[in-house]
Every structure is written in C-alpha cells, then in structure tokens.
Amino acid sequence: MFTSIHNYEGQKLPYDETVISKEVVIGDNVWIGADVIILGGAIIGEGAIIQAGSVVVKDIPALGIAGGHPAKVFKMRDEAHYVRLKASKAFY
C-alpha cells in the first residue's frame, strides 16, 4: 500500500518537500491476491476480491471482484451466499 505521494505541483522540480497522505480503507473479509498495489484514497468494500497483480487506484464496492491495471470490477459475488456464510461464521 502506498498512502503517501510527493507534491509534484509544489514549488520545486520534480517535487517539493510536501508529502500528501491519503488513507486506505479495507473492509472485512476482503481477499487481496499476491503482488497487489493499493494507492492512497482507495476504499475496498467488505467481501471484495482483488485479483493478484492488480493496481487499485479507486474504490472497489462491497462484494466486487476486481482486477487489472487499474483494477476494475468485472464481477460481483453472490450477496445471499456471502451473507449466509458470514452469518454461520464459516470463515477459513
């Protein structure tokens, strides 16, 4: 996760001393594959799945299955199935 970036719009080139920080929020039961990069400001909703090697640059909704560069939602998990498993505490 990269939550801080340099200020390239500051008073020096290529950037100044200012550090811009943005929070990352990851919901419950999120599955993040190997080698995923998550940039500051992104919110990953509960139960989402992020495909290995993806770059998350914006929000991923709850139960979204996303992948790519930048990560885009290409499918949604079955909400009723997810809720049933969560209620029965069927965690791995």
Side-chain angles (χ1 to χ4, degrees):
M1 288 183 266
F2 293 95
T3 59
S4 297
I5 61 172
H6 295 291
N7 182 18
Y8 60 85
E9 294 179 336
Q11 301 302 311
K12 296 181 182 175
L13 293 175
Y15 51 83
D16 65 18
E17 304 84 7
T18 307
V19 175
I20 300 169
S21 296
K22 294 182 180 179
E23 183 175 68
V24 168
V25 177
I26 299 174
D28 291 338
N29 306 312
V30 170
W31 178 6
I32 299 173
D35 299 321
V36 170
I37 296 172
I38 303 170
L39 299 183
I43 298 171
I44 302 175
E46 178 178 349
I49 299 171
I50 310 300
Q51 187 177 43
S54 298
V55 180
V56 179
V57 299
K58 63 180 184 174
D59 296 352
I60 304 297
L63 305 180
I65 302 173
H69 308 185
K72 294 183 181 178
V73 176
F74 59 85
K75 188 174 180 180
M76 297 297 288
R77 294 179 79 168
D78 180 316
E79 184 175 1
H81 181 68
Y82 176 85
V83 169
R84 216 173 16 260
L85 290 173
K86 185 177 174 184
S88 68
K89 300 185 192 283
F91 299 108
Y92 178 68

